[in-house]
Amino acid sequence: QQRDSVVSRAKELGYLPVSSNGATAEIVLNFTGLGADVTQFTLPKNSKFTTTVDDVTYTFVTPKAEEFFKAADGTFSKSIEIKEGEPLTHQFTVSATNPVRYIIPNPGVDTSSIIVSVQESSTDSTTTDYKRATNINQVFNTSPVFYLEESADEKYEIIFGSGSLGKPVKAGNIVKVEYLVNSDEATNGATSFSVEDYSIGTSYTSATISSVAKTANGGRPQETIESIKFQAPRNYQTQNRAVIAEDYSRILLSENADLQSVIAFGGEEYDPPVNGKVYIAVKPFGELRATQNKKTAIKTSLKTRT
């Protein structure tokens, strides 16, 4: 009945409960007053925007860098996606004499936002990016991957391979973790945003939001105890392999906190039948349909499991 106990049992079945997820919105951002010689620039990742809901201010950020190009009329304008969450960074120093547990110290982490890199040492800035392992069939002893588990008090722990299933970290390495702490569904429906903090590496007069192309939606709380109890044993049955139609649904729901529901069926059920294909329909939270980028990401994530 305690969440930590349920999570512990789910961990034995190789199941990671779905984390909370911050809402996303789409805004049209305009820059004015740039020099005549400027034809393009990059808006950095984690550029900040804010919105206020019920007298509480929330932070939205750009989940990736955005390229802006000068239009024929000399303006810089682009529709970009922003995501709710406060960007934070935490680092650990690997020690052989005093082993470290790499536990992210904040609850409310959006696991899809976690980025892990390992610096060689305090005197060697060489850095290796580590990717989250979702399919151990694709992991070797030199693969720079990390595993993720929910720890006590709704916090997440990063685990590295020991040299067989993943490249190990060694004493003196510095582990850097970037992530977003979100407010789940609190900002769903937000329609007004303000520019807060950004740097484009050049002079400018102002940056303004001309319109909101898509109101904030898709925010959701972390998976409930009841859902974990139901999903964990069924997820275990798939063994991270997409063989039958239900496997596709379970894999996608467990790995995508922004999906509300998934339906999958084999082509033999199509009319007329199309053998050798699987059809998948997904519905995001707060949206009628997924974006093309989301569709591409889903297909890519399934390729190694089919």
Side-chain angles (χ1 to χ4, degrees):
Q1 296 178 2
Q2 297 290 331
R3 182 179 181 87
D4 286 352
S5 301
V6 174
V7 168
S8 180
R9 293 287 289 137
K11 194 182 302 183
E12 295 174 6
L13 299 176
Y15 183 73
L16 176 67
V18 180
S19 73
S20 58
N21 186 62
T24 59
E26 189 175 323
I27 61 173
V28 178
L29 187 61
N30 305 294
F31 286 88
T32 59
L34 282 80
D37 59 330
V38 178
T39 58
Q40 71 178 85
F41 62 85
T42 301
L43 182 70
K45 175 183 175 181
N46 288 338
S47 294
K48 289 187 177 183
F49 304 81
T50 58
T51 189
T52 301
V53 179
D54 295 332
D55 297 325
V56 179
T57 300
Y58 298 91
T59 298
F60 277 69
V61 298
T62 49
K64 60 184 179 67
E66 298 282 357
E67 294 289 335
F68 280 71
F69 297 91
K70 180 181 284 187
D73 60 0
T75 61
F76 292 84
S77 181
K78 184 179 182 180
S79 178
I80 64 172
E81 181 182 89
I82 55 176
K83 185 175 180 65
E84 189 270 322
E86 188 68 39
L88 297 174
T89 302
H90 196 78
Q91 66 181 40
F92 310 83
T93 300
V94 182
S95 172
T97 57
N98 186 23
V100 178
R101 290 186 66 185
Y102 310 102
I103 298 176
I104 299 175
N106 308 89
V109 172
D110 178 357
T111 56
S112 67
S113 70
I114 295 175
I115 297 177
V116 176
S117 60
V118 177
Q119 183 177 317
E120 282 300 310
S121 68
S122 58
T123 58
D124 185 348
S125 60
T126 304
T127 301
T128 302
D129 293 329
Y130 277 61
K131 304 297 183 183
R132 181 182 162 194
T134 56
N135 183 6
I136 62 172
N137 293 325
Q138 304 292 316
V139 176
F140 306 98
N141 61 339
T142 58
S143 301
V145 299
F146 68 92
Y147 302 87
L148 195 61
E149 293 183 354
E150 184 175 329
S151 187
D153 302 324
E154 303 177 15
K155 298 175 182 177
Y156 290 93
E157 179 174 6
I158 292 167
I159 297 173
F160 295 97
S162 59
S164 55
L165 289 175
K167 180 181 179 180
V169 291
K170 58 182 184 291
N173 284 169
I174 299 174
V175 176
K176 297 181 179 180
V177 185
E178 301 175 34
Y179 53 93
L180 293 178
V181 172
N182 67 83
S183 304
D184 51 72
E185 55 192 353
T187 58
N188 284 347
T191 59
S192 178
F193 300 90
S194 301
V195 180
E196 180 69 17
D197 180 38
Y198 58 92
S199 174
I200 59 176
T202 186
S203 60
Y204 53 86
T205 300
S206 66
T208 58
I209 297 172
S210 62
S211 64
V212 177
K214 185 180 76 173
T215 59
N217 65 80
R220 58 160 293 179
Q222 66 181 170
E223 188 173 5
T224 64
I225 293 175
E226 291 72 21
S227 177
I228 297 171
K229 288 181 178 181
F230 180 82
Q231 295 288 355
R234 289 159 180 80
N235 185 75
Y236 178 73
Q237 293 172 4
T238 71
Q239 294 291 297
N240 203 29
R241 295 170 298 201
V243 180
I244 62 174
E246 199 60 31
D247 294 344
Y248 289 83
S249 300
R250 290 170 182 154
I251 288 173
L252 291 178
L253 283 173
S254 67
E255 293 184 358
N256 296 273
D258 58 334
L259 295 184
Q260 183 177 7
S261 61
V262 178
I263 294 174
F265 60 92
E268 71 278 1
E269 298 181 41
Y270 208 73
D271 185 18
V274 183
N275 293 319
K277 290 183 180 290
V278 174
Y279 291 84
I280 301 171
V282 304
K283 182 192 179 303
F285 278 92
E287 287 289 300
L288 293 178
R289 58 184 60 85
T291 63
Q292 187 58 49
N293 286 343
K294 186 64 178 179
K295 293 177 184 179
T296 301
I298 285 173
K299 289 191 285 187
T300 302
S301 73
L302 290 172
K303 278 184 177 178
T304 60
R305 264 82 64 90
T306 59

